[in-house]
Amino acid sequence: MSMSTVASAPGKAILCGEHAVVYGAPAIALPLSGIRAYAKIRKCDHPLTIIAEDLPRPPLVYRAGEMDMSDPLALTAELAIDYLGAGSISGEIRLKSDIPIASGLGSGAAISTALCRAIALLRASEIPAGDLSKLVYEVEKLHHGSPSGIDNTVVVCEAPVFFIKDQRMELINIAEPLQLVLADTGIAALTRDAVAAVRRRRQSAPAATAAIFAEIGAISKEAKDCLEQGATKRLGALMIANHRLLQALDVSSPELDRLVEAGLHGGAYGAKLSGGGRGGNIIALADAHSVDAVREKLLEAGAKRVMVTIAGEGRRDDDDSD
Ligand code: MEV
């Protein structure tokens, strides 16, 4: 059997619970198996060299103990090599990703996961999911400051998860496949900044913020039941309520609100921002009848990229970039 030479990892979307999850509320995340980060390995005698094809940066040559740990790629390599007990390592890894950066779709976690997997492949080894998720979490701290751990968890396990920080995650069995439409504002927004803004809000208005987190947590719990029972209409209503609460936390934006309204106008059961907010993507819940109208309304409302994906039914994604 020939060994694979490409490792990969999916993007992700948060169905509900973002931000509140950082403070212990439950949240639900879905893998986006059709948009992925890839890490292709080539065996050679050179010291490990990582080439990020999409990024304007020189190749990173790994030298033990000399790496800049504020560089996510260098930190990922260091953590994976250390985990594997590899000391020195040779070979080339080329990274390429379909996942837009700073758009709430888990690009950082997917790249780190694919890179760790590729480094393990160079050693003809594998990193078990639980340990891999912990390594990627360490890199997420660079991106996000105080991440909940939901992104690394869903990206590594590539299944719908019901997640509570510092607890064992639960996989969700989705009863009825969901037609999801993701629409990108085209505005890059760093999750770290949105998370910091929510932290400041929590400090200045603790009771009001805690009440919002509690409502969001209740939404995630009910959304899990909806997913397990196929209650799509109710799930849509919960997504709308979740978006209103994210607006109250001030992590939405006029562009995100416009796309949410457009999705609803197109006949979606529900729509909300997904991820850190302030830019990035919205997620709309449609069905086979409404999906084309939803997609059209989103493009008309200025979405820079619209992607239709089905959650809970293996893999299928189409892409409509403008
Ligand atoms: C980012 O995908 C979700 C946030 O809740 C941050 C986190 O959980 O670490 C905004």
Side-chain angles (χ1 to χ4, degrees):
M1 198 172 72
S2 77
M3 195 181 73
S4 165
T5 56
V6 186
S8 75
K12 70 96 206 342
I14 306 275
L15 185 65
C16 50
E18 53 272 268
H19 288 291
V21 68
V22 175
Y23 300 94
I28 295 174
L30 307 169
L32 299 173
S33 292
I35 53 167
R36 308 186 72 83
Y38 297 92
K40 186 170 185 186
I41 65 165
R42 186 169 72 85
K43 293 201 164 183
C44 60
D45 294 338
H46 310 148
L48 176 64
T49 304
I50 301 166
I51 300 160
E53 294 192 349
D54 307 316
L55 300 178
R57 54 175 290 164
L60 182 87
V61 181
Y62 178 77
R63 293 187 209 287
E66 290 177 30
M67 306 304 288
D68 169 8
M69 290 300 121
S70 64
D71 173 350
L73 295 185
L75 177 60
T76 306
E78 182 80 17
L79 289 167
I81 290 168
D82 193 46
Y83 176 89
L84 294 163
S88 74
I89 189 162
S90 54
E92 182 188 276
I93 298 177
R94 285 185 174 268
L95 297 170
K96 203 157 176 40
S97 175
D98 310 328
I99 310 165
I101 294 171
S103 69
L105 300 183
S107 142
I111 290 171
S112 300
T113 302
L115 178 54
C116 285
R117 286 180 171 149
I119 291 171
L121 267 181
L122 278 173
R123 302 285 299 185
S125 180
E126 222 176 290
I127 305 176
D131 291 346
L132 179 54
S133 185
K134 282 187 196 141
L135 296 185
V136 176
Y137 179 76
E138 290 306 310
V139 187
E140 287 291 286
K141 285 188 194 165
L142 277 186
H143 293 297
H144 291 186
S146 57
S148 63
I150 191 168
D151 287 15
N152 47 289
T153 300
V154 68
V155 163
V156 168
C157 76
E158 201 165 347
V161 296
F162 181 77
F163 180 90
I164 302 176
K165 191 176 173 181
D166 298 330
Q167 290 190 19
R168 232 183 118 79
M169 59 104 182
E170 257 180 77
L171 297 184
I172 302 177
N173 259 324
I174 297 184
E176 290 288 329
L178 304 176
Q179 290 260 6
L180 299 172
V181 188
L182 284 130
D184 197 340
T185 58
I187 297 169
L190 293 176
T191 301
R192 173 210 297 271
D193 295 344
V195 168
V198 172
R199 189 182 311 120
R200 285 193 296 275
R201 172 170 287 266
R202 182 170 174 261
Q203 277 156 4
S204 62
T209 311
I212 294 176
F213 291 162
E215 278 190 69
I216 293 177
I219 285 175
S220 294
K221 281 193 193 139
E222 198 185 337
K224 176 174 181 280
D225 295 340
C226 290
L227 288 169
E228 288 169 346
Q229 291 156 15
T232 309
K233 208 166 157 197
R234 177 66 191 148
L235 181 60
L238 292 171
M239 289 169 70
I240 297 170
N242 194 164
H243 185 72
R244 303 283 172 245
L245 291 163
L246 290 164
Q247 285 175 319
L249 283 178
D250 201 22
V251 290
S252 192
S253 71
E255 295 81 4
L256 286 163
D257 291 344
R258 192 177 318 126
L259 292 184
V260 165
E261 295 311 321
L264 296 176
H265 204 61
Y269 292 110
K272 62 180 278 293
L273 72 84
S274 180
R278 299 252 160 119
N281 278 262
I282 68 112
I283 182 170
L285 176 60
D287 62 16
H289 304 291
S290 62
V291 67
D292 289 339
V294 171
R295 186 201 311 240
E296 213 155 285
K297 288 284 175 211
L298 288 166
L299 287 168
E300 264 172 41
K304 295 292 176 284
R305 174 183 158 113
V306 175
M307 189 180 84
V308 176
T309 184
I310 299 185
E313 188 208 60
R315 175 176 161 167
R316 202 215 95 182
D317 297 81
D318 322 320
D319 194 350
D320 273 357
S321 306
D322 73 355

